[in-house]
Amino acid sequence: MSKLLIKGGRPLCGEVEIKAAKNAVLPILAATLLTEDRCEILNVPRITDVTNMMRIMRGLGSRVALEGEVLSVDNRDATGCSVPTDLAKELRSSFFLLGPMLAKTKRAAVAYPGGCDIGVRPIDIHLKGLCEMGVAIEESHGIIYCDGTRLHGADLVLDFPSVGATENLMMAAVLAKGKTRITGAAKEPEIVDLQDFLVSMGAKVAGAGGDRIEIEGVTKLHGSVYTPIPDRIVAGTLLIAAAACGGDVTVSRVCPDHLDALLFKLNKSSCVPRVNGDKITLKCDSRPRHFDRLETQPYPGFPTDLQSQMMVMMCVSEGTSMIVENIFETRYRIVRELTKMGARITVRDRTAVIRGVRSLEGASVVAGDLRGGAALVIAGLGAEGYTTVDDVCHIERGYDRIESTFALLGGEIERIG
Ligand code: EPZ
């Protein structure tokens, strides 16, 4: 298991072009199952969640290849309808295949995705919606068996704006007979991007990004060549790194609107981000100011996927900050690791109180999940002395060679072992 060796204390300076969003590419890749025509997805990052999803798609009979940044998919022979348990457990997003498999083959069997290091991550909202669309569902020995021979449009109301459930139900509905309305849908930019991709294939979908998505089932969809939206979480991670470590960082090829909640927060700290077209620059040459309160919420609220990174920034800010994590119940595994670096954080239920210190000290830490791992890299880059970050595999799920990105920005970081 390789690890990262970081020598902290240097400001970060430079510009990074952001690639397509992991959380847009994954559902869009699943949606290619809805056509037998060839599809191409452009500007795709080289991350393990994508390569693992490709493996699962190949298991269904897909011909899928990533050449450079172009992901080409040919699903002519993709008649499979079951996702192997080991692969499903490795990649929660494999659960997004349920909707398109049902739409295409009318049958599907997927292992219960189970929880991960940030929470239980149930799928009740997915299953309730599919049931209301006429899908017969049985669970046995951790496998969910679905019979979609009577799949039809329905009026759905989600109990929570689940991103994955919204995406699964959209993909089940586009080839189903009749109309589907999803009220209380998730509003994330990745939902709008999935709608745009489905429409580019000839689907009739409207309303994504708002409270209600309306879908009119069609009989067939055609191929598409599509560039997904840039990764707002990778962009936000780099901007927060500049605020926490000091420096002058520009992220380019981004959609600033997708980062409104982060920019609003950073505008209140000592380092004001500057937006210029598809670029955002953040200059920071002083210690960050603390935030009285940061609460994560569904979009357009503050994204849970940037919470750990903001925690690191608060660890070295002046004053005492508070974080409330409203989306996932155990997204604080990073606290134990940051405490090894001298952070002063107390956690009670979903609330973390962070008393800022002048600087963290380098230590040996272990990444526990994707975003927590990226946050530990930021902590090491800003700390005094050397830090090693172990279990880099978590970080590789969503960051394309994170060590090269930060080395390009002047960080002293290398992969060892
Ligand atoms: C997506 O996960 C993202 N993953 C997550 O990003 C992101 O944190 C999350 O949305 C929230 O924005 C991908 O898009 C691949 P949810 P998802 O369903 O779909 C509860 C990252 O780091 N819930 O919106 O799994 C659930 O327990 C990852 O890139 C139910 O109760 O998120 C959680 O508390 C991490 N029942 C909340 O909703 C359900 O059936 C949000 O989950 C489904 C969800």
Side-chain angles (χ1 to χ4, degrees):
M1 184 80 70
S2 62
K3 55 175 82 172
L4 298 175
L5 174 63
I6 303 165
K7 183 173 182 296
R10 293 196 25 190
L12 302 173
C13 297
E15 179 167 334
V16 177
E17 185 176 288
I18 302 300
K19 294 228 173 37
K22 165 177 88 81
N23 293 349
V25 169
L26 293 172
I28 285 171
L29 182 51
T32 62
L33 277 175
L34 296 163
T35 179
E36 296 194 348
D37 293 352
R38 178 185 164 83
C39 291
E40 282 190 1
I41 307 169
L42 309 180
N43 198 26
V44 172
R46 204 161 280 273
I47 53 178
T48 55
D49 269 10
V50 169
T51 46
N52 283 333
M53 188 70 139
M54 289 166 64
R55 271 169 57 205
I56 293 172
M57 299 271 293
R58 287 194 188 102
L60 300 176
S62 268
R63 286 189 200 82
V64 54
L66 180 57
E67 280 131 19
E69 298 166 356
V70 179
L71 185 52
S72 54
V73 198
D74 175 348
N75 288 318
R76 211 168 327 166
D77 301 326
T79 53
C81 59
S82 76
V83 177
T85 303
D86 58 332
L87 291 179
K89 292 222 173 290
E90 195 166 326
L91 183 63
R92 178 177 168 77
S93 330
S94 57
F95 204 69
F96 296 153
L97 291 164
L98 194 52
M101 279 195 292
L102 283 169
K104 180 180 171 124
T105 63
K106 303 295 183 242
R107 290 194 177 286
V110 186
Y112 203 102
C116 64
D117 295 298
I118 59 176
V120 173
R121 308 196 69 183
I123 52 169
D124 55 312
I125 300 173
H126 298 245
L127 300 183
K128 177 168 174 277
L130 290 172
C131 271
E132 288 163 8
M133 294 178 73
V135 178
I137 296 174
E138 274 180 35
E139 297 182 42
S140 109
H141 302 297
I143 306 282
I144 296 158
Y145 298 94
C146 299
D147 174 351
T149 42
R150 282 189 294 282
L151 182 70
H152 58 71
D155 239 343
L156 308 173
V157 180
L158 303 193
D159 296 336
F160 179 86
S162 155
V163 172
T166 301
E167 291 165 342
N168 239 337
L169 296 169
M170 286 168 76
M171 292 189 278
V174 289
L175 292 176
K177 287 186 201 64
K179 252 186 192 287
T180 296
R181 295 195 314 181
I182 306 174
T183 304
K187 301 185 181 118
E188 274 70 3
E190 291 76 20
I191 304 285
V192 179
D193 212 26
L194 177 60
Q195 168 181 279
D196 293 348
F197 178 67
L198 291 168
V199 168
S200 76
M201 296 168 81
K204 291 181 179 169
V205 191
D211 257 326
R212 176 173 295 154
I213 301 174
E214 308 231 351
I215 299 157
E216 177 74 47
V218 295
T219 51
K220 193 171 166 47
L221 295 176
H222 53 71
S224 172
V225 177
Y226 192 80
T227 302
I229 55 171
D231 198 313
R232 61 193 169 102
I233 304 303
V234 169
T237 302
L238 297 178
L239 292 173
I240 296 168
C245 303
D248 178 353
V249 170
T250 294
V251 288
S252 57
R253 207 170 169 181
V254 298
C255 297
D257 296 354
H258 295 168
L259 282 156
D260 271 351
L262 173 64
L263 297 178
F264 177 78
K265 271 294 176 193
L266 291 176
N267 277 323
K268 291 185 175 301
S269 73
S270 47
C271 26
V272 178
R274 223 180 47 251
V275 176
N276 175 13
D278 72 349
K279 294 177 191 281
I280 304 174
T281 297
L282 189 133
K283 279 190 187 152
C284 194
D285 49 15
S286 59
R287 196 173 163 196
R289 208 174 301 138
H290 76 280
F291 296 109
D292 289 337
R293 190 181 181 88
L294 174 74
E295 291 219 32
T296 62
Q297 295 294 352
Y299 194 88
F302 192 88
T304 176
D305 292 348
L306 289 177
Q307 182 258 101
S308 299
Q309 299 89 317
M310 288 296 268
M311 180 179 278
V312 169
M313 179 181 160
M314 293 178 193
C315 283
V316 293
S317 67
E318 293 169 51
T320 298
S321 309
M322 183 190 288
I323 291 179
V324 180
E325 171 54 62
N326 291 308
I327 306 297
F328 290 111
E329 62 274 28
T330 52
R331 204 161 202 174
Y332 285 139
R333 275 192 53 165
I334 186 179
V335 170
R336 183 182 56 199
E337 303 305 310
L338 289 174
T339 305
K340 292 177 190 170
M341 300 178 75
R344 294 163 65 189
I345 308 170
T346 49
V347 172
R348 182 189 292 270
D349 300 331
R350 289 178 177 248
T351 301
V353 176
I354 304 109
R355 283 176 295 160
V357 295
R358 177 157 296 284
S359 168
L360 295 176
E361 298 125 32
S364 295
V365 293
V366 182
D369 62 82
L370 164 55
R371 307 303 175 184
L376 288 172
V377 171
I378 296 174
L381 288 165
E384 284 167 7
Y386 286 90
T387 296
T388 56
V389 180
D390 217 332
D391 288 4
V392 183
C393 57
H394 291 289
I395 305 174
E396 292 165 336
R397 286 187 42 220
Y399 293 86
D400 186 349
R401 286 155 295 179
I402 197 169
E403 70 276 13
S404 312
T405 302
F406 279 120
L408 181 81
L409 293 174
E412 285 193 68
I413 176 173
E414 59 178 316
R415 185 178 289 251
I416 54 175

